[in-house]
Amino acid sequence: MNHELLDGVPLLHAVRSGPTSVNLSFRVGQSDEKLAQRGLTHLVEHLALFPLGIRDHHANGQTGLSITNFQASGDADDVVTFLAQVTRALSDLPLHRLKDERSVLQTEASQRPGWVASDLALWRYGARGDGAAAYPEWGLDKADEASVEAWRDHWFTADNAVLVVVGPKVPPGLRLHLPSGSRRAMAPVHSLLPPGRSTISVGSNRVLFDAVVERTPATTVLAQLVDQMMFQRLRLDAGYSYVATCNYEPRDATWAVMTGLADALEDKTDVLVGASVDLLAELRLGRLPDEAVEKVIAGRLDAMENPANADDVQSAMTMRNAFDLLVGRAPQTPEQVAEQLRTLQPDDVRQASQKTFSEVLLQVPEGHTADWGGFAPLSDTQGVELTAAQAHPLHGGGNIECSPDGVSAVSDGRRVTVRYETCAACLAWPDGGRMLIGNDGFVVTIEPTLLRDGTAMVSAVDAAVDPSVVLPQPPRAPEAIPQPKQPARRGRLGWRRRPRRTPG
Amino acid sequence: MASLADVTTPPPPEACDADEPLGRLLGVLRSHALVVQAWDVRSSRRASQVDVEQFRRFRELLVAAETRLIDITASEPTCVEAWALRVCTSRGLELGPAESRRRHDRVTNLDPQHNWAHAQLLQELCPKWHGDWESTFTFAREVGASSPLGSLGHLLIVDAYLERWADEGDSFMTQQAVINEVTDSAKRSVLHRSCRWEPEWSSAHSKLALFFSLAKRPRHALVHFDALGDNPVASFWEYFEDPEDAYQQWLAVARIRGGRR
């Protein structure tokens, strides 16, 4: 594996015959965006690819949680041209396309199914880090030439990038045209979950779980075992699920996220929840037979050491090392990985399983529970009280409480508070409606039409909220604005942490 | 490097009942006690007559049982008694009829003649929980058809008739076809020469005594009252306001009209 600098960018080359693939990665993604910046990375990615026009070879971009990739494959000339064009476009963004690409992205968002694990991320992290990725691309409307260029200057630099070339050789004439900058470490984001096992009831027809695990050989083997067990139990044995899988995604130098997903038809969700709780219990108790663990380890070693796979192993390792380079983890050779696997004992994997599944977040469909299985339901209210708050009664019941520090929505003994200093976003409609979202993901909605002194309250909120988090929204249809005679819609009162998509 | 998540080392998993055979047995017994206690709190009344605090405590006790049982079945998937109890906790926790069926399937894969588990599932198939009479009677007859001679599985049909009586009154109990079906099931079970005493034996006679009393067949009823002797068990008699009084009255009727004083 070669490692050199090309125009200031670390270059990793994996030798493979056939066409050449390149992957230029930057250490930036959706989890680096604040809510008012949501979509900026994606927008830069689109702008960078625009000058390429229609290509007759494979070329694409991907904005991930913490990495943004530009990929192409073809003959040597194709990839040389691709990288030259993309990096030139990055250093000189085609800003005349800004409005059109915003519109393209908004259309893409309306067509694309949501991120499957978004609710897990939202409850684990609130509106920050991976949780931010659960929100719509709210920053697009506000994105102007200056903010897009500032985003590019911060993240899309030679010092925050790595290039992987997989092919017979590094094509001659390969050049990158990127400004210099700094390597951007991942910001620390703390879990909002209480210790132990937790559960949320949201969505339909699927069960998900996730756990943050240390990046060790034991957890990678564990994830593969869990994947096999889920497929065997939920699909092959019981026939409940079409999808039954467990994914392992490294997230930074130390941690990875293990995410399980199983779907079912409506009439099978009861049993899917039941069988999933049972499976998670086995994993928490470390009920993994030696043979099963050893089989996975042997399978991995076989795959790595089979000469027929050598090229694939090498390119997969190179991609992994490129990621690690960006997040600050030491690269590994296939031999080192194999050696770690060889010394791994079934007990190591069992211990990893016990630890992982004692701290898991389980998502069951709305209308289902898992408290009966020992999973603590996460509260949909925080109970944080503001000092010196004034209560304003809401038509239809409840109060909005205002203080110089923030606002609370109170109803049926439940209280949700957003403090101005930890307000992640304030959606503002021309009719006066405001939706304040705290860093923890909790939401307070203010509808002036439902408050006697609503206009004054909205003015007070507007004066107190950091203008950089305010997101002006297009006008709402008159029937979308709540009126006093109608009972207030429950969702508008604000305990639901799920972000609402803005109209249009 | 900054950490992505605030993960502290979790405490080691609590010493688990489920790890050793004796621990498992104790766990099953404790869970059984919790389930019995839960139903005592709830009472056998219809849901509309149970107050909020009773429901809260009922659920709390069932969760205490269920969480133990989950660990036991996870450690030892062949622990049939734990799976059988989980058919009952599934109903009380309202996890859905399909989930109760899944647990019942786990029981029958290990022990097709687990009549206690069959009776638990039958309860849930009744209209008072999630079901309807058609599935209740179908299930009772299926269990009967698959039970060997002498097995109490033949008497699940009596449970079905008594549940229907509790819902709709006794008008259908005197129909000859109904009486024939129950008489036949008694002959195949407690009255069959291959029937051996087992813990559910008294309940079986108790419910047959009740059925034949309500069906106005005192002579048939007396056979089962006699079998119980001085050791009656409550069983379905609990559907009366005063089970003991009802039992004594029907026993007296059976003795007077059944040909013996």
Side-chain angles (χ1 to χ4, degrees), chain A residues 189 271 274 278 284 287 371, chain B residues 4 19 59 71 86 98 102:
Chain A
V189 179
V271 278
D278 282 347
R284 176 172 45 82
R287 298 285 141 180
D371 62 324
Chain B
L4 181 78
D19 265 351
R59 194 178 158 82
D71 283 6
R86 292 188 70 192
R102 180 182 77 91

Side-chain angles (χ1 to χ4, degrees), chain A residues 125 186 188-190 212 240 251-253 255 270-271 274-275 277-278 281-282 284-285 287 327 355 359 371-374, chain B residues 1-7 10 13 16 19 59 63 66-67 70-71 74-75 83 86 93 95-99 102-103:
Chain A
Y125 299 113
M186 301 201 42
V189 179
H190 295 284
V212 176
Y240 305 146
R251 295 292 295 112
D252 66 11
W255 304 103
D270 288 347
V271 278
V277 166
D278 282 347
E282 286 178 50
R284 176 172 45 82
L285 297 174
R287 298 285 141 180
V327 298
K355 187 171 165 179
E359 296 278 339
D371 62 324
W372 52 268
Chain B
M1 182 68 202
S3 76
L4 181 78
D6 195 12
V7 177
C16 183
D19 265 351
R59 194 178 158 82
V63 169
E66 171 75 0
T67 47
I70 287 172
D71 283 6
S75 303
W83 281 114
R86 292 188 70 192
L93 293 165
L95 304 185
E99 172 62 5
R102 180 182 77 91
R103 297 172 177 204

Side-chain angles (χ1 to χ4, degrees), chain A residues 448-462:
Chain A
T449 44
L450 301 181
L451 292 154
R452 203 178 312 138
D453 39 9
T455 315
M457 186 188 294
V458 170
S459 303
V461 168
D462 286 351

Side-chain angles (χ1 to χ4, degrees), chain B residues 58-210:
Chain B
F58 171 62
R59 194 178 158 82
E60 186 177 78
L61 289 162
L62 287 180
V63 169
E66 171 75 0
T67 47
R68 283 168 193 275
L69 292 166
I70 287 172
D71 283 6
I72 292 166
T73 51
S75 303
E76 183 42 74
T78 63
C79 185
V80 66
E81 296 307 328
W83 281 114
L85 277 166
R86 292 188 70 192
V87 178
C88 179
T89 52
S90 173
R91 179 171 91 253
L93 293 165
E94 300 190 60
L95 304 185
E99 172 62 5
S100 303
R101 282 262 188 196
R102 180 182 77 91
R103 297 172 177 204
H104 180 260
D105 287 346
R106 299 298 296 256
V107 175
T108 50
N109 286 342
L110 296 162
D111 177 6
Q113 264 78 56
H114 201 295
N115 295 320
W116 190 84
H118 296 329
Q120 293 304 315
L121 184 64
L122 182 113
Q123 285 289 314
E124 184 152 4
L125 297 175
C126 291
K128 66 179 178 180
W129 284 92
H130 303 287
D132 53 63
W133 292 126
E134 194 189 333
S135 36
T136 308
F137 280 88
T138 303
F139 175 65
R141 288 181 182 124
E142 278 169 8
V143 170
S146 65
S147 296
L149 288 172
S151 162
L152 302 185
H154 294 283
L155 296 178
L156 200 60
I157 192 71
V158 184
D159 293 33
Y161 281 123
L162 290 174
E163 286 298 340
R164 197 165 158 196
W165 156 71
D167 250 21
E168 297 178 359
D170 57 8
S171 57
F172 68 93
M173 305 279 268
T174 50
Q175 291 170 21
Q176 196 56 49
V178 172
I179 291 167
N180 288 349
E181 188 176 15
V182 174
T183 308
D184 193 44
S185 65
K187 282 182 188 158
R188 288 167 178 277
S189 57
V190 282
L191 301 182
H192 196 271
R193 59 189 150 73
S194 61
C195 182
R196 299 275 174 274
W197 187 91
E198 58 172 287
E200 292 299 309
W201 185 88
S202 304
S203 294
H205 280 294
S206 181
K207 67 193 183 189
L208 283 164
L210 175 58

Side-chain angles (χ1 to χ4, degrees), chain A residues 302-315:
Chain A
D302 269 0
M304 290 192 76
E305 288 166 352
N306 184 343
N309 295 340
D311 286 356
D312 288 342
V313 169
Q314 187 76 359
S315 51

Side-chain angles (χ1 to χ4, degrees), chain B residues 162 165 186 190-191 201-238 240 242-261:
Chain B
L162 290 174
W165 156 71
V190 282
L191 301 182
W201 185 88
S202 304
S203 294
H205 280 294
S206 181
K207 67 193 183 189
L208 283 164
L210 175 58
F211 174 86
F212 286 120
S213 295
L214 297 169
K216 302 194 170 56
R217 291 295 187 277
R219 192 187 298 269
H220 286 68
L222 190 58
V223 173
H224 303 290
F225 279 121
D226 280 348
L228 289 166
D230 295 332
N231 297 300
V233 291
S235 176
F236 285 85
W237 295 89
E238 289 201 324
F240 290 105
D242 184 342
E244 203 178 324
D245 185 57
Y247 185 88
Q248 292 302 338
Q249 284 190 23
W250 283 108
L251 172 59
V253 169
R255 282 187 175 150
I256 292 163
R257 305 220 178 123
R260 190 153 24 112
R261 274 158 215 280

